[in-house]
């Protein structure tokens, strides 16, 4: 089969790009497409050295640093990518990638990290954080997001199969598109985040310091608990706010390399997490190190961390993104810590390994291709899949269809 993989944009190597790397590892001969591609050589190595075929936005002024400003042009741009030569198109989408145009003899499978967050249920939050609550710019932003919602919903009809990165996102897909999806969790590098059972007397949080991560809230909570030590790894626009709230028991380390991050993640008493994430990789990396997680109990983390009511718990949840709620959760964690074991944390993390992702995504795609070939005839797709019925596994340990009424 001739395969194309379509990604939104390639600027940094973050969670969505780890999924992309897993797709490329699974289908190394596939051609890569994206709206723009400005990856560094180091990050590109994680994609097998592949360079994407890009759109006209690649050539526009400041596309590398201000690509978000070209969002109104991205639906047009993604539709200009020519997919006509491919039998199978796999889109990796949290914005516009799923909008590529495909025909009736092509299979389009879309791995959705989320429907466009800022156009759907998180619109008001994003507008508030961007100070677009009122005025002419706010009105224009709302008109743009209204247009993006209509385009996003219309292009969902061009997708043959949806894969969600969590049950949480599966519900978002159903809410936005009224489509069912299959859950295949993203790959997490559990091999490099190794188990370390000896813990030290400090808590850790590590992420980009952007508003939705709520790092200043975590800092505020620990500033009100001077007997507990917090280490913060990461940099971003919320750093100044975090500094203002920090007391002597809080250490802001800024950006650190992987070796420093791993050292602290392995030795922390617990990893503190305050974001509402679609999936959330950092809590799984912490568990891979044998480190429990104290997390805001919304979003994908409910599927990756096992609370104290589980027979083999790996963490504690709290109900509100407030310092008071987090302080109460830390008290609960310290009361329940003797029930949470490093080996259980490690076992929980291994449910999300890179090898598991590759097996599940390959089985899902090959089974779908085989079904089309059997039900619609040999001309449904131009070539047979590489798998045969004997080596296709139609049942996935964690790839669960999302069924809705």
């Amino acid at each position: 089969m001739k395969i194309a993989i379509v990604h939104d944009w390639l600027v940094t190597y973050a969670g969505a790009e780890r999924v992309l790397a897993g797709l490329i590892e699974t289908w190394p001969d596939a051609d890569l497409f994206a709206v723009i591609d400005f990856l560094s050589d180091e990050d590109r190595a994680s994609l097998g050295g592949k360079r994407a075929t890009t759109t006209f936005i690649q050539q526009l002024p400041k596309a590398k640093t201000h690509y978000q400003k070209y969002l109104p042009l991205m639906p047009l741009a993604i539709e200009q990518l020519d997919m006509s030569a491919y039998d199978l198109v796999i889109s990796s989408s949290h914005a516009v990638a799923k909008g590529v145009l495909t025909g009736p003899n092509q299979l389009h499978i879309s791995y959705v990290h989320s429907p466009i967050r800022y156009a759907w249920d998180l619109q008001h939050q994003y507008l508030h954080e961007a100070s677009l609550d009122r005025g002419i710019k706010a009105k224009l932003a709302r008109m743009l997001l209204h247009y993006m919602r209509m385009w996003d919903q219309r292009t969902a009809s061009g997708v043959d199969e949806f894969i969600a990165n969590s049950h949480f996102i599966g519900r978002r897909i159903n809410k936005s598109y009224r489509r069912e999806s299959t859950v295949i969790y993203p790959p997490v590098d559990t091999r490099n985040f190794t188990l370390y059972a000896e813990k030290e007397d400090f808590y850790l949080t590590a992420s980009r310091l952007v508003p939705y991560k709520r790092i200043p809230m975590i800092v505020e909570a620990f500033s009100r608990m001077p007997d507990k030590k917090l280490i913060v790894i990461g940099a971003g626009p919320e750093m100044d706010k975090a500094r203002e709230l920090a007391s002597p028991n809080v250490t802001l380390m800024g950006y650190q390399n992987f070796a420093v991050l791993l050292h602290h993640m392995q030795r922390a008493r617990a990893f503190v997490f305050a974001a509402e994430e679609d999936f959330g990789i950092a809590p799984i990396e912490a568990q891979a190190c044998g480190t429990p997680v104290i997390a805001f109990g919304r979003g994908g983390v409910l599927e990756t961390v096992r609370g104290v009511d589980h027979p083999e718990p790996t963490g504690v949840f709290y109900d509100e993104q407030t310092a008071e709620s987090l302080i109460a959760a830390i008290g609960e964690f310290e009361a329940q810590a003797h029930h949470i074991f490093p080996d259980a944390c490690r076992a929980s993390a291994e449910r999300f390994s890179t090898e598991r992702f590759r097996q599940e995504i390959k089985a899902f795609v090959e089974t779908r291709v085989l079904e089309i070939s059997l039900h619609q005839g040999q001309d449904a797709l131009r070539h047979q899949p590489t798998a045969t019925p004997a080596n296709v596994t139609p049942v996935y340990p964690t790839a669960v269809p999302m069924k809705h009424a």
Side-chain angles (χ1 to χ4, degrees):
M1 296 181 65
K2 203 168 180 192
I3 302 173
I5 298 175
V6 186
H7 195 64
D8 290 304
W9 48 74
L10 292 167
V11 179
T12 59
Y13 189 79
E17 287 68 39
R18 298 185 195 196
V19 170
L20 177 62
L23 295 173
I24 291 172
E25 288 174 3
T26 307
W27 293 283
D29 295 329
D31 293 331
L32 179 61
F33 296 81
V35 171
I36 56 173
D37 182 355
F38 292 106
L39 276 186
S40 66
D41 291 340
E42 180 181 357
D43 289 339
R44 195 176 305 283
S46 301
L47 303 182
K50 281 188 181 290
R51 189 173 296 275
T53 298
T54 58
T55 69
F56 64 86
I57 294 178
Q58 179 85 11
Q59 308 302 324
L60 296 181
K62 297 184 178 179
K64 181 177 181 179
T65 54
H66 294 83
Y67 61 92
Q68 298 96 330
K69 293 184 178 179
Y70 292 117
L71 181 64
L73 298 176
M74 288 186 184
L76 172 64
I78 205 73
E79 291 175 352
Q80 305 313 304
L81 293 174
D82 186 1
M83 298 287 109
S84 59
Y86 298 94
D87 306 305
L88 171 64
V89 176
I90 303 173
S91 58
S92 165
S93 184
H94 58 79
V96 298
K98 76 166 184 40
V100 290
L101 303 178
T102 56
N105 291 328
Q106 297 171 292
L107 176 62
H108 179 187
I109 296 175
S110 186
Y111 189 101
V112 176
H113 308 279
S114 177
I116 307 175
R117 302 174 187 88
Y118 33 86
W120 290 97
D121 55 310
L122 297 182
Q123 170 187 292
H124 301 292
Q125 176 184 327
Y126 274 84
L127 290 174
H128 176 72
E129 290 174 354
S131 299
L132 290 172
D133 297 298
R134 55 176 59 88
I136 295 298
K137 287 186 178 181
K139 289 183 171 61
L140 291 174
R142 292 174 190 276
M143 289 176 60
L144 167 62
L145 294 177
H146 176 70
Y147 157 72
M148 292 297 296
R149 271 193 302 278
M150 292 191 295
W151 178 87
D152 192 37
Q153 190 172 55
R154 178 184 63 77
T155 57
S157 62
V159 176
D160 298 294
E161 295 283 347
F162 278 104
I163 300 174
N165 74 352
S166 65
H167 291 281
F168 176 65
I169 291 304
R171 293 191 293 273
R172 258 194 190 151
I173 289 171
N174 182 255
K175 190 79 171 179
S176 302
Y177 309 144
R178 290 303 176 193
R179 293 284 300 276
E180 294 181 358
S181 59
T182 297
V183 174
I184 299 179
Y185 292 119
V188 180
D189 184 13
T190 55
R191 290 173 298 181
N192 286 323
F193 286 87
T194 50
L195 177 64
Y196 191 86
E198 299 300 321
K199 304 304 177 183
E200 299 177 15
D201 192 21
F202 70 90
Y203 292 84
L204 173 71
T205 189
S207 77
R208 292 175 295 126
L209 272 65
V210 291
Y212 85 96
K213 297 287 188 178
R214 300 291 195 272
I215 301 300
M217 184 275 289
I218 297 175
V219 171
E220 178 187 353
F222 276 86
S223 294
R224 290 161 58 178
M225 298 183 291
D227 59 321
K228 305 184 193 307
K229 183 178 179 182
L230 172 70
I231 293 177
V232 180
I233 293 179
E238 295 274 275
M239 178 63 86
D240 288 343
K241 188 182 294 185
R243 285 198 183 101
E244 291 176 3
L245 294 167
S247 57
N249 61 312
V250 176
T251 302
L252 300 170
M253 296 184 66
Y255 172 80
Q256 298 294 323
N257 61 32
F258 175 76
V260 174
L261 172 64
L262 178 62
H263 176 88
H264 286 83
M265 196 169 275
Q266 288 177 324
R267 290 160 176 79
R269 187 174 184 182
F271 184 83
V272 184
F273 194 69
E276 180 180 343
E277 291 277 19
D278 306 326
F279 176 65
I281 290 178
I284 302 171
E285 293 171 339
Q287 291 175 86
C289 296
T291 301
V293 177
I294 302 170
F296 175 52
R298 291 278 295 274
V301 74
L302 291 174
E303 301 169 44
T304 62
V305 176
R306 293 167 170 165
V308 292
D309 56 344
H310 191 277
E312 295 183 336
T314 65
V316 170
F317 297 115
Y318 54 100
D319 297 330
E320 298 177 354
Q321 288 175 311
T322 63
E324 291 78 11
S325 187
L326 176 54
I327 290 169
I330 291 168
E332 182 183 5
F333 167 74
E334 294 188 350
Q336 299 288 339
H338 60 285
H339 294 304
I340 303 175
F341 302 104
D343 288 343
C345 293
R346 176 70 192 184
S348 174
E350 286 175 345
R351 296 178 292 150
F352 308 98
S353 69
T354 300
E355 293 77 9
R356 180 272 326 161
F357 171 81
R358 291 181 60 185
Q359 291 171 3
E360 289 182 8
I361 197 80
K362 190 172 189 291
F364 178 88
V365 170
E366 290 183 344
T367 300
R368 188 67 183 96
V369 169
L370 185 61
E371 288 173 352
I372 291 177
S373 297
L374 292 175
H375 289 94
Q376 298 182 14
Q378 299 302 319
D379 292 332
L381 294 173
R382 283 189 282 272
H383 303 285
Q384 285 292 313
T386 56
T388 64
N391 63 15
V392 170
T393 305
V395 179
Y396 318 106
T398 58
V400 182
M402 292 289 296
K403 299 295 183 184
H404 304 275

